[in-house]
């Protein structure tokens, strides 16, 4: 088996590992909390991006208004509603949604960079 010198060296090494591991573990609790918070923020941002992407895809799949086969009677046609000046068109809404998706992706990239910096600082 192991001779007494090897046992002493192993026990001494384990003791040092426990002493220094415990002191670094106390400092890493705050870092672990920050990392956990950042990971949850990343998850939230990713789910927002997924929702935006699905909204964009859904808007892209909507069929254009096609003329009906039978002509409606004159009394069935509703009077046109005046457009409000602040009412954005479908194209403007799509552009706004695309801009929001791009901004959200940039925010996620920034959060991921910050997370990587924190991980680099934590890792010995």
């Amino acid at each position: 088996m192991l001779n007494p010198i090897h046992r002493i060296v192993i026990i001494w090494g384990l003791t040092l590992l426990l002493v220094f591991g415990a002191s670094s573990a106390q400092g890493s609790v705050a870092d672990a909390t920050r990392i956990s918070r950042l990971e949850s923020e990343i998850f939230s941002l990713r789910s927002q991006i997924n929702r935006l992407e699905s909204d964009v895809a859904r808007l892209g799949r909507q069929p254009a208004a096609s003329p009906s086969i039978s002509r409606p009677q004159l009394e069935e046609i509703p009077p046109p509603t005046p457009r409000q000046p602040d009412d954005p068109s479908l194209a403007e809404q799509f552009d706004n949604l695309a801009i929001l998706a791009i901004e959200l992706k940039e925010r996620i990239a920034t959060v991921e960079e910050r997370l990587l910096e924190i991980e680099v600082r934590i890792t010995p």
Side-chain angles (χ1 to χ4, degrees), residues 1 3 11-12 20-21 31 44 49-50 60 63 89-91 106 116:
M1 210 135 173
N3 63 29
I11 291 172
W12 184 73
F20 290 113
D31 292 335
S44 172
I49 286 177
N50 288 338
S89 69
L90 186 59
E106 290 172 353
L116 183 62

Side-chain angles (χ1 to χ4, degrees), residues 40-81:
S40 66
E41 185 177 347
I42 288 172
F43 178 77
S44 172
L45 291 173
R46 284 185 176 158
S47 64
Q48 287 178 3
I49 286 177
N50 288 338
R51 282 195 303 269
L52 288 173
E53 287 175 342
S54 67
D55 288 347
V56 168
R58 185 177 41 83
L59 288 174
R61 286 192 303 260
Q62 284 183 348
S66 59
S68 61
I69 296 175
S70 64
R71 296 199 148 213
Q73 300 296 329
L74 289 178
E75 63 269 8
E76 293 177 4
I77 298 175
T81 57

